[in-house]
Amino acid sequence: MLSYRHAFHAGNHADVLKHYVLGLVLAHTAQKDKPFWYIDSHAGAGMYSLHQGYATQNAEFEAGISKLLSAPNLPHSLADYVAKIKSFNTSNTLEFYPGSPMVAESHMRADDKMRLFELHPSDYELLSDNFEGFGRQVKVEMQNGFKGLKSCLPPPPRRAVVLIDPPYEDKQDYLYVVDAIKDSVKRFPTGTYIIWYPLLQRPEPAEMLDSLLALNLPNWLHVTLSIEAPSAEGFGMYGSGLFVINPPWTLPNTLAESMPVLTELLALDATANFTLDSQIE
């Protein structure tokens, strides 16, 4: 299914949670001198205009990243995320929002490498154009990211951060995620895996989470952010979650400090809330 275009949702509440946590994980990974790989299963276009094109139709960024730009007294980690997003814009107004690959690239060092997979032909072209000048450090492939992971793991430096965030338009994506994680942790058990998923009024997200927990992995973190009550009609995404395998040991405390602030900033009604659970041995 190739109808999904992330540009419609660029900078929304789910992007904020995803890229905030991704930045925390990558910043921690980059503290060690040893090189690492960043692998993105569904990379999208890499950069999105917020002033023209798809993003303007619903302007989801106005209820997302825009709410953080002028927020005072942010926790240090959230302030760093906002500064990162501002660095992609030349003026005080928000003209562009970076996708996961661009967020990741801003943390990469000379010896680190990126492997980006995108199956949608139009987004693949845009992604390739956005990373045209990066040479051998970045490899972009028009391929199903679930299959592409197998060709990357284990990576030569034996260090990697893997982001898996399919659109979930196809219900099978929930099963593909679990299968991909099962295979990936066999190939490369010490990698850090970040799985993004939507909060919806349907059973598949909870079933996927139960399947991931049933793997009995020794180190994991699970965070969700709900910005509003589920709709009475039963449709629409009311929040999102991240399941992180082998998270940085610092991540639980950082999120415990910042998630109350982030939830308050992005809340659309009084039911907005977050959950945070972890097991780190």
Side-chain angles (χ1 to χ4, degrees):
M1 296 177 71
L2 294 177
S3 59
Y4 179 84
R5 303 297 296 277
H6 188 71
F8 285 107
H9 314 291
N12 71 354
H13 60 90
D15 265 2
V16 170
L17 178 65
K18 176 170 59 179
H19 295 147
Y20 168 51
V21 173
L22 176 62
L24 291 173
V25 171
L26 289 168
H28 187 271
T29 306
Q31 287 179 2
K32 285 188 179 179
D33 290 337
K34 293 177 64 177
F36 70 92
W37 280 24
Y38 170 74
I39 303 166
D40 199 322
S41 69
H42 297 74
M47 185 67 75
Y48 304 96
S49 170
L50 300 182
H51 281 194
Q52 58 184 357
Y54 296 126
T56 62
Q57 292 195 18
N58 296 323
E60 292 186 19
F61 61 90
E62 291 181 353
I65 181 60
S66 292
K67 289 190 171 183
L68 274 65
L69 292 182
S70 58
N73 304 316
L74 288 174
H76 179 71
S77 59
L78 271 177
D80 283 350
Y81 160 70
V82 172
K84 182 74 70 177
I85 302 306
K86 286 181 176 179
S87 72
F88 291 96
N89 293 271
T90 54
S91 66
N92 288 328
T93 59
L94 199 63
E95 296 181 20
F96 298 98
Y97 186 84
S100 302
M102 281 295 180
V103 172
E105 193 283 323
S106 67
H107 291 274
M108 307 300 279
R109 303 156 303 177
D111 292 335
D112 302 325
K113 294 187 184 299
M114 299 176 63
R115 295 293 179 266
L116 310 176
F117 298 99
E118 177 52 49
L119 195 56
H120 195 291
S122 298
D123 278 354
Y124 167 76
E125 267 191 49
L126 293 168
L127 185 65
S128 298
D129 289 345
N130 282 324
F131 283 94
E132 189 175 7
F134 287 82
R136 288 186 165 186
Q137 186 179 32
V138 180
K139 184 177 182 181
V140 180
E141 295 186 56
M142 193 169 82
Q143 186 183 161
N144 182 321
F146 291 122
K147 295 179 180 178
L149 287 176
K150 296 184 178 183
S151 65
C152 296
L153 302 176
R158 294 300 194 273
R159 299 182 74 224
V161 174
V162 181
L163 177 64
I164 302 176
D165 64 334
Y168 297 102
E169 283 195 315
D170 183 349
K171 290 182 183 180
Q172 295 297 308
D173 278 351
Y174 296 96
L175 301 177
Y176 294 150
V177 166
V178 176
D179 289 343
I181 288 298
K182 286 179 179 177
D183 182 74
S184 296
V185 297
K186 284 180 184 177
R187 295 172 184 268
F188 183 46
T190 58
T192 295
Y193 301 89
I194 304 173
I195 299 125
W196 176 88
Y197 69 95
L199 293 180
L200 303 166
Q201 294 184 82
R202 52 193 297 175
E204 290 87 1
E207 290 169 356
M208 183 186 77
L209 181 63
D210 288 343
S211 296
L212 292 171
L213 289 169
L215 297 176
N216 291 318
L217 299 167
N219 298 295
W220 55 266
L221 178 145
H222 179 230
V223 59
T224 68
L225 170 62
S226 172
I227 61 164
E228 61 183 333
S231 72
E233 296 80 19
F235 300 110
M237 180 174 71
Y238 58 90
S240 64
L242 295 169
F243 188 80
V244 186
I245 298 167
N246 297 325
W249 65 270
T250 55
L251 193 57
N253 284 343
T254 301
L255 293 181
E257 175 196 22
S258 59
M259 287 304 297
V261 178
L262 188 59
T263 304
E264 184 176 354
L265 285 169
L266 297 182
L268 294 183
D269 64 30
T271 70
N273 66 88
F274 75 94
T275 67
L276 179 62
D277 301 290
S278 64
Q279 173 182 290
I280 300 180
E281 296 182 355

